[in-house]
Amino acid sequence: MQRRKIIIDTDPGQDDAAALMLAFGSPDEIEILGLTAVAGNVPLSFTSRNLRIVCELCGHPEAKVYEGALKPLNRPQVTAEHVHGKTGLDGAELPEPTMLPQEQNAIDFIIETLRREPEGTVTLCTLGPLTNIAMALTKAPDIAPRVKELVMMGGGFSEGGNITPAAEFNIYVDPEAAKIVFGAGIPLVIMPLDVTHQLLTRKARVEKIAALGTRPAQVLVEWLAFFERFDIEKYGSDGGPLHDPTVIAYLLKPELFSGRECNVEIEVESELTVGMTVVDWWRVTDRKPNATFMRTVDADGFFELLTERVGRL
Ligand code: RIB
Ligand code: CA
């Protein structure tokens, strides 16, 4: 079976770490060409460190990690330590990484890779703000038609926002970058809060991960215990929504998800709703569909997949 070539752009974050574990646990289906760190949940120095910690935890010190944007295109940095803790990976005690980031910066790596690989063979998987991708598209517009598809965690429709009433964090942090990406003509698959809020880290689900009895599984359980506390308090739910692994799960089992082609635009002007994904789900405008916007997921199937693949690490 042809392995899917991917670049993962990420701002770890405990839920990013779960997505990375799912990817590293699926080597038969996924070939990770490189991993690019972006400022988001925590500053770039931490997202780069955290990305390398996860690579080593998953047994991949040879993975290629690149450092990207220090801040959004033209807004002050917004971070989410209130959710992820000061380091972004609070909850588990792990040694500092020994592997170093690559010399080349993430933006040039993304451009060079898309120009080198055959057209339409590389999937971009984004788990954080879209700054790196937007910078690559601005520096090298020729790469847009070369992308197979871009699968992202971001946005919201019926679930509204999580950092403001209207905006989801990844889009809110850099709405100008999102506008560039959504307007680039790349086939987009969006995993919004509408999907991720159906994926709660319920006690019974986390117990199955813990029952794997491996070090990676134990660390993931500790990360989830820290990560979920914020959402449990906020939503009063049994566990918190597990956002980023949806991107990798889509590559492995797209049938877990359902949605529809529709137009999605990004609000960048209004102070009240900046970062909102304006989703024309009911096609009330003549704006051209530019994304597959997912709305439902088989939650048990998702957690079975995540648990089984983490168990392979
Ligand atoms: O809104 C959830 C998203 O913001 C996730 O990607 C999480 O890691 C944070 O980056
Ligand atoms: Ca993230």
Side-chain angles (χ1 to χ4, degrees):
M1 165 192 179
Q2 184 72 21
R3 297 201 301 165
R4 172 102 71 140
K5 290 179 187 170
I6 71 171
I7 294 173
I8 302 177
D9 190 70
T10 175
D11 64 333
Q14 292 89 349
D15 62 318
D16 300 69
L20 294 164
M21 295 169 100
L22 180 55
F24 280 121
S26 308
D28 297 340
E29 297 103 323
I30 289 174
E31 178 185 358
I32 302 174
L33 300 178
L35 303 111
T36 52
V38 66
N41 285 318
V42 285
L44 180 69
S45 57
F46 275 118
T47 58
S48 169
R49 163 197 179 266
N50 296 346
L51 181 46
R52 287 175 281 131
I53 284 178
V54 178
C55 289
E56 291 184 337
L57 175 70
C58 294
H60 287 280
E62 84 293 346
K64 298 210 177 323
V65 168
Y66 301 82
E67 295 181 342
L70 278 162
K71 59 177 287 301
L73 295 182
N74 52 25
R75 287 176 187 266
Q77 178 61 51
V78 171
T79 51
E81 285 90 346
H82 59 291
V83 178
H84 300 272
K86 185 181 176 318
T87 71
L89 279 188
D90 287 23
E93 285 307 314
L94 287 160
E96 289 305 304
T98 53
M99 65 186 283
L100 296 173
Q102 299 296 305
E103 284 296 312
Q104 186 179 35
N105 79 61
I107 285 78
D108 291 336
F109 163 72
I110 291 167
I111 293 168
E112 183 185 276
T113 304
L114 285 167
R115 285 178 172 164
R116 180 191 68 241
E117 296 294 329
E119 183 166 333
T121 62
V122 176
T123 299
L124 300 178
C125 298
T126 66
L127 314 180
L130 292 165
T131 316
N132 287 346
I133 310 300
M135 287 176 75
L137 288 167
T138 304
K139 186 172 181 181
D142 61 287
I143 64 173
R146 303 187 63 81
V147 179
K148 177 182 173 63
E149 67 185 344
L150 187 157
V151 188
M152 77 170 72
M153 189 280 140
F157 176 50
S158 55
E159 283 299 293
N162 59 3
I163 187 81
T164 75
E168 177 278 327
F169 180 81
N170 287 340
I171 307 296
Y172 177 77
V173 166
D174 199 341
E176 284 76 16
K179 190 172 178 65
I180 289 168
V181 172
F182 277 67
I186 297 171
L188 301 178
V189 177
I190 302 174
M191 294 292 167
L193 296 178
D194 304 62
V195 165
T196 66
H197 283 185
Q198 298 174 50
L199 297 171
L200 299 180
T201 55
R202 293 207 178 114
K203 196 165 172 299
R205 290 167 173 165
V206 176
E207 281 169 355
K208 284 185 183 158
I209 296 174
L212 293 169
T214 61
R215 175 71 178 140
Q218 179 202 356
V219 171
L220 178 55
V221 166
E222 290 169 358
W223 278 335
L224 294 180
F226 183 91
F227 167 74
E228 71 183 16
R229 85 212 181 289
F230 174 80
D231 288 297
I232 290 172
E233 209 171 298
K234 177 174 170 182
Y235 298 111
S237 49
D238 171 9
L242 197 47
H243 306 289
D244 291 339
T246 55
V247 170
I248 307 302
Y250 172 77
L251 305 183
L252 299 170
K253 281 195 162 186
E255 66 274 17
L256 290 173
F257 304 93
S258 70
R260 76 167 63 147
E261 292 289 321
C262 52
N263 177 269
V264 182
E265 302 293 340
I266 309 296
E267 174 58 63
V268 292
E269 304 292 340
S270 148
E271 215 169 286
L272 184 63
T273 57
V274 64
M276 180 177 185
T277 44
V278 182
V279 184
D280 188 5
W281 181 262
W282 301 111
R283 302 224 170 122
V284 295
T285 75
D286 57 2
R287 292 197 291 257
K288 189 167 157 291
N290 60 344
T292 302
F293 193 86
M294 296 299 187
R295 296 285 303 280
T296 64
V297 57
D298 167 0
D300 290 336
F302 169 84
F303 278 99
E304 270 161 39
L305 175 67
L306 177 64
T307 305
E308 192 269 324
R309 296 301 162 97
V310 169
R312 296 186 187 184
L313 296 174

